[in-house]
Amino acid sequence: MTTPMVEAWHVSKRFGSLVVLRDVSLVVPEGEVHCIIGPSGSGKSTFLRCVNHLEQIDEGELRVGGELVGYEERDGRLHELSYRQTAARRSRIGMVFQQFNLFPHLTALQNITLAPSLVRRTPAAQSRERAMQLLERVGLADRANAYPMQLSGGQQQRVAIARALAMDPELMLFDEPTSALDPELVGEVLQVMRDLAQQGMTMLVVTHEMSFARDVADTVIFMEGGRVVEAGPPDEVLVAPRETRTREFLARVLR
Amino acid sequence: MSSSRPTTPLPVVRRRRLGRVPAMIVVVLVATLIVAALASNPRFEWGVVGEYLFSPSIVQGAGVTVGLTVVAMAIGILLGIVLAVMRQSGGVILSAAAGLYIWFFRGTPQLVQLIFWYNIGALYPKLSLGVPFGPQWFSVDANDVVTPLATAIFGLGLNEAAYMAEIVRAGLTAVGPGQREAAAALGLSRWHSLTRIVLPQAMRVIVPPTGNQVISMLKSTSLVSVIALAELLYSAQSIYTRTFQTIPLLIVVSLWYLAMTTVLTLGQRQLERRLNSGARGLRPAAAAPRPHE
Ligand SMILES: Nc1ncnc2c1ncn2[C@@H]1O[C@H](COP(=O)(O)OP(=O)(O)OP(=O)(O)O)[C@@H](O)[C@H]1O
Ligand SMILES: [Mg+2]
């Protein structure tokens, strides 16, 4: 049996006195797509941010590819790693944000080549060529020299996906990638994500797009109040949920 | 209901602002009086002004003023960035140290600081490098190091850093946290995140007030005349203490400062225009994406 891509065991997280994650455990095997759904404030983004150590967890254990992300185990304790060491592990995890977070002072192409050339020291010509391939893949080869503000929201998000892919991640995290988009632009971004899933990328996706979850996800995880309430295949969780709270949530969003 | 539309656009008659005319008359009158006063009073000695305007020691003094401005400003900007980053670092000690520095230098007059640094030799006759109360590796006479030039450069630069720190900090906070997060998520180091992502975007906020600081620094360099460094003002002073042509030489000095600040102001305008039109990518997204749920 191979090690799962993501393993979370009894993860808890507080902001001051506010408990945001309570005893969250989940496993994402390699090559699978897991979608996290749940009401606003249930801790979905926070969990995702813990996976690549943008937030620190207070308890539990979080591994990506079998390795702890922001910590190392020494004499029975978890010691936080330096920023540099964490950065090295983070570079294997791609992240796509709700607000895209493209670098506005760089062109689409430069956004994509930046990390490979700075972090991996990939030669300029090579990272350029790879960036062009990625832009091709997200259907934006003709916008390589555009600045983010010259692109539509959907195009910006596709560049952001290409930017994350340029680091050859073994895992992609998506935090509501289509929530900031006008409805008519949602489809193009979801299509890129579907293609990615098809090609076997391991993905952990926070989303409100139930049709995407139903079609693409291997597992749907319903979170509420910082807990995993229910998790399972989409046709169980989305079609015939066991928990009342899941049912109530679905009734609200699918109305 | 049918309201007939005029077939040709109606001409617009602007209201005359009559108040302007009396105001203009007053301004012209006052200006004439000032020019007359300048020209008719022989004690201005315009001939002497012309004589000294390009005299070697004055030109040299102006050169020193420019040099001091450039070097002190460079120290101020670099140290200011360091202080601003320290304040934002999240580290309690670093942030407190930077805060203390800024508090001290902004809270005491530049002139007092300069005189203080100049007299540091009275406090520490020997400056040495080594373990306190232990072996010394390196030791010099304070008077050899604390020259007027060194005092001027560091006295002005250290003070400037406190102001630049606040300017840079405003620039850094203007860059949203999402930018750092995106950089971190890509595995960029702190250094690259700062130098490639945050600082370039902070420039739009940092550059305009820095222009004002340069102009202000150019004028502040005149303070170092009190420690006998031959910049523009001191050069003029050494002439008029001999010749007693105080007023004409101060006019010479003022003309030089005016010329230099004018050049700086024009340069600043040019730079800001370039910053606003050139880097399209730096402007905030015209249409912020609307959340929909
Ligand atoms: N940096 C922070 N400091 C304090 N509280 C925070 C912070 N980030 C998130 N929270 C709180 O943690 C809780 C969970 O937030 P989180 O963003 O993870 O929810 P979410 O499930 O992603 O919600 P949404 O669907 O609205 O994005 C919320 O109550 C939020 O206010
Ligand atoms: Mg969220």
Side-chain angles (χ1 to χ4, degrees):
Chain A
M1 187 193 133
T2 55
T3 41
M5 188 53 75
V6 182
E7 280 172 285
W9 297 117
H10 311 294
V11 169
S12 294
K13 162 85 189 160
R14 285 180 295 274
F15 286 114
S17 61
L18 178 74
V19 182
V20 181
L21 296 176
R22 299 164 201 262
D23 198 21
V24 173
S25 294
L26 61 84
V27 171
V28 184
E30 196 177 328
E32 290 200 357
V33 177
H34 286 208
C35 286
I36 304 178
I37 60 171
S40 182
S42 55
K44 308 180 297 292
S45 298
T46 305
F47 179 75
L48 216 59
R49 294 158 57 80
C50 286
V51 172
N52 69 354
H53 202 59
L54 284 179
E55 302 283 1
Q56 291 158 290
I57 61 176
D58 294 316
E59 273 163 51
E61 202 179 305
L62 237 170
R63 288 176 188 273
V64 173
E67 271 193 288
L68 295 162
V69 181
Y71 306 89
E72 66 182 352
E73 209 172 340
R74 263 187 284 127
D75 36 76
R77 291 165 189 233
L78 298 183
H79 297 267
E80 191 170 5
L81 290 174
S82 71
Y83 192 95
R84 189 174 295 272
Q85 290 167 307
T86 304
R89 297 189 186 182
R90 266 185 195 143
S91 70
R92 313 286 312 170
I93 306 170
M95 185 157 197
V96 176
F97 302 86
Q98 183 173 350
Q99 299 295 344
F100 330 133
N101 294 353
L102 286 179
F103 306 129
H105 60 302
L106 302 177
T107 62
L109 189 76
Q110 291 166 336
N111 262 279
I112 302 172
T113 55
L114 186 78
S117 45
L118 290 182
V119 180
R120 299 267 158 77
R121 306 194 180 287
T122 310
Q126 199 179 320
S127 61
R128 232 186 111 82
E129 191 182 331
R130 173 100 171 95
M132 283 310 297
Q133 282 170 7
L134 288 166
L135 279 171
E136 194 94 46
R137 192 159 145 196
V138 299
L140 288 170
D142 54 330
R143 306 309 312 270
N145 295 316
Y147 284 91
M149 71 151 300
Q150 298 169 319
L151 299 172
S152 74
Q155 292 174 329
Q156 288 189 50
Q157 193 60 298
R158 286 186 279 153
V159 173
I161 293 172
R163 175 176 72 175
L165 291 176
M167 294 298 279
D168 294 317
E170 48 192 15
L171 167 70
M172 285 286 285
L173 307 173
F174 292 84
D175 190 1
E176 299 192 32
T178 57
S179 292
L181 297 178
D182 288 336
E184 72 272 20
L185 301 177
V186 169
E188 60 192 60
V189 173
L190 291 182
Q191 191 52 51
V192 170
M193 292 169 64
R194 279 172 206 266
D195 293 345
L196 209 52
Q198 195 93 57
Q199 288 150 15
M201 176 63 76
T202 313
M203 294 161 60
L204 189 51
V205 184
V206 174
T207 187
H208 289 301
E209 297 294 331
M210 294 303 153
S211 61
F212 176 83
R214 191 162 39 225
D215 299 350
V216 183
D218 296 285
T219 297
V220 173
I221 300 148
F222 173 63
M223 280 182 74
E224 193 183 70
R227 284 181 211 280
V228 174
V229 174
E230 186 167 355
D235 25 309
E236 282 174 24
V237 177
L238 296 179
V239 180
R242 273 177 285 122
E243 303 286 330
T244 1
R245 280 177 293 170
T246 317
R247 221 170 293 142
E248 283 166 4
F249 172 75
L250 289 174
R252 259 181 288 135
V253 294
L254 294 177
R255 197 170 17 160
Chain B
M1 196 178 91
S2 67
S3 66
S4 62
R5 289 205 179 142
T7 43
T8 51
L10 297 175
V12 174
V13 182
R14 285 206 177 195
R15 201 182 154 78
R16 288 238 186 124
R17 299 200 170 78
L18 288 175
R20 280 180 178 177
V21 178
M24 264 158 58
I25 292 171
V26 171
V27 169
V28 169
L29 215 64
V30 170
T32 318
L33 285 174
I34 291 173
V35 170
L38 288 173
S40 64
N41 188 336
R43 271 170 293 191
F44 277 111
E45 298 182 79
W46 290 103
V48 179
V49 171
E51 186 184 323
Y52 280 110
L53 192 55
F54 295 105
S55 73
S57 72
I58 293 289
V59 173
Q60 213 167 22
V64 172
T65 290
V66 170
L68 259 184
T69 305
V70 171
V71 177
M73 215 45 225
I75 292 175
I77 290 172
L78 289 178
L79 190 54
I81 292 175
V82 172
L83 287 167
V85 171
M86 279 169 70
R87 284 226 85 171
Q88 288 219 317
S89 65
V92 181
I93 293 176
L94 285 183
S95 165
L100 204 68
Y101 182 101
I102 294 165
W103 170 76
F104 176 79
F105 280 91
R106 297 219 311 178
T108 54
Q110 167 82 83
L111 184 56
V112 175
Q113 289 168 28
L114 281 168
I115 300 172
F116 183 86
W117 295 130
Y118 193 52
N119 289 291
I120 198 97
L123 215 51
Y124 293 103
K126 284 223 173 297
L127 299 177
S128 44
L129 200 65
V131 186
F133 310 112
Q136 304 296 313
W137 301 308
F138 176 79
S139 175
V140 287
D141 213 323
N143 288 330
D144 295 340
V145 182
V146 189
T147 60
L149 184 63
T151 308
I153 288 174
F154 287 99
L156 292 170
L158 294 182
N159 181 70
E160 182 60 31
Y163 291 87
M164 282 308 302
E166 294 291 286
I167 291 172
V168 174
R169 189 158 73 120
L172 294 183
T173 42
V175 180
Q179 292 291 305
R180 285 167 215 263
E181 281 179 4
L186 286 166
L188 260 61
S189 65
R190 276 212 175 100
W191 172 252
H192 281 147
S193 170
L194 178 70
T195 56
R196 300 302 196 91
I197 305 301
V198 179
L199 275 180
Q201 293 180 64
M203 277 323 202
R204 266 181 72 251
V205 178
I206 294 174
V207 166
T210 303
N212 296 340
Q213 291 300 112
V214 174
I215 290 168
S216 156
M217 171 65 85
L218 185 88
K219 293 183 290 180
S220 295
T221 55
S222 64
L223 291 174
V224 307
S225 61
V226 300
I227 56 170
L229 183 76
E231 44 68 68
L232 184 52
L233 178 59
Y234 188 82
S235 305
Q237 284 173 332
S238 12
I239 297 170
Y240 70 64
T241 44
R242 270 187 288 109
T243 66
F244 301 107
Q245 292 158 322
T246 311
I247 297 294
L249 275 149
L250 286 179
I251 291 174
V252 167
V253 166
S254 301
L255 289 174
W256 271 99
Y257 280 120
L258 275 172
M260 292 190 286
T261 50
T262 304
V263 169
L264 285 177
T265 306
L266 292 177
Q268 185 188 17
R269 246 180 244 165
Q270 204 65 37
L271 192 63
E272 281 177 31
R273 194 169 308 156
R274 171 123 29 114
L275 215 57
N276 281 330
S277 67
R280 274 167 318 211
L282 276 175
R283 273 187 293 176
R290 285 186 294 281
H292 91 100
E293 277 188 350

